[in-house]
Amino acid sequence: MLFAPLVAEGPTATGLVVHPFWVLVSIVNFLVILFLLGRYLWGPITRVLAERAEKIREGLAMAEAARADREKIRAEADRVLADARRQASELAERTTAAADAAAADIRTQAKADAERIRERAQADARQLHDQALAQLRSEVAGMVVLAASRVLEREIRPEEHRALIERSLDEAAEQLQDRTV
């Protein structure tokens, strides 16, 4: 049926005929459809696309700001960590120095104590030696007086005899010291 008007005219029709009415109707239809699509379809679509593009720009800006903040936080964390390491190193050095100083003080004090103990021991030994010599002298003097009185069969005055014995013992002590030195 579409081709019926062309077939009805017969063989004399020579092609496609353009009717100005239908051209005008087609232009009006195109403009109406263009207006309706622009108003109800392209407007909302472009608005949604613009909103989406704005959200994407905001998201990119937020991502860039987050990256910058992350870099700042990382730099701050590195700085704090380096500061903590430096403080720990300083504390370790101070502790080591204090420990070394304490050890040196303890060594010095131990040497002084050992020297004091050695001197006290030498003084005690000298005192015991002197006491033993004095006791030995008195006992030897008594035995010599007794032996001399028996040998001489008479009584010698003990004072004279003691003086003689003291002199003899002093000479003997000097000879003993000369031998030990």
Side-chain angles (χ1 to χ4, degrees), residues 31-53:
L31 290 175
V32 168
I33 289 175
L34 185 63
F35 172 75
L36 289 176
L37 284 176
R39 175 145 180 126
Y40 295 108
L41 186 63
W42 297 118
I45 288 176
T46 56
R47 193 174 18 198
V48 167
L49 289 176
E51 289 173 3
R52 185 173 176 122

Side-chain angles (χ1 to χ4, degrees), residues 51-146:
E51 289 173 3
R52 185 173 176 122
E54 183 61 29
K55 285 183 182 178
I56 289 171
R57 278 192 290 277
E58 287 176 2
L60 289 173
M62 287 172 46
E64 183 63 28
R67 186 191 63 76
D69 287 345
R70 187 178 63 237
E71 290 298 322
K72 284 180 189 175
I73 290 171
R74 182 178 294 150
E76 180 68 19
D78 289 344
R79 186 189 62 76
V80 168
L81 186 60
D83 191 37
R85 284 183 180 146
R86 181 186 51 79
Q87 288 177 355
S89 175
E90 288 174 0
L91 180 63
E93 288 174 8
R94 284 195 309 259
T95 303
T96 302
D100 289 343
D105 287 346
I106 289 171
R107 271 191 235 104
T108 303
Q109 194 173 26
K111 285 180 183 178
D113 289 346
E115 184 64 26
R116 238 187 349 266
I117 290 170
R118 187 180 62 79
E119 288 173 359
R120 191 176 323 130
Q122 285 179 346
D124 289 347
R126 232 178 279 119
Q127 182 182 7
L128 287 173
H129 180 261
D130 292 345
Q131 285 176 353
L133 279 179
Q135 185 179 2
L136 184 62
R137 279 185 178 181
S138 66
E139 288 179 13
V140 168
M143 289 190 319
V144 168
V145 167
L146 181 64

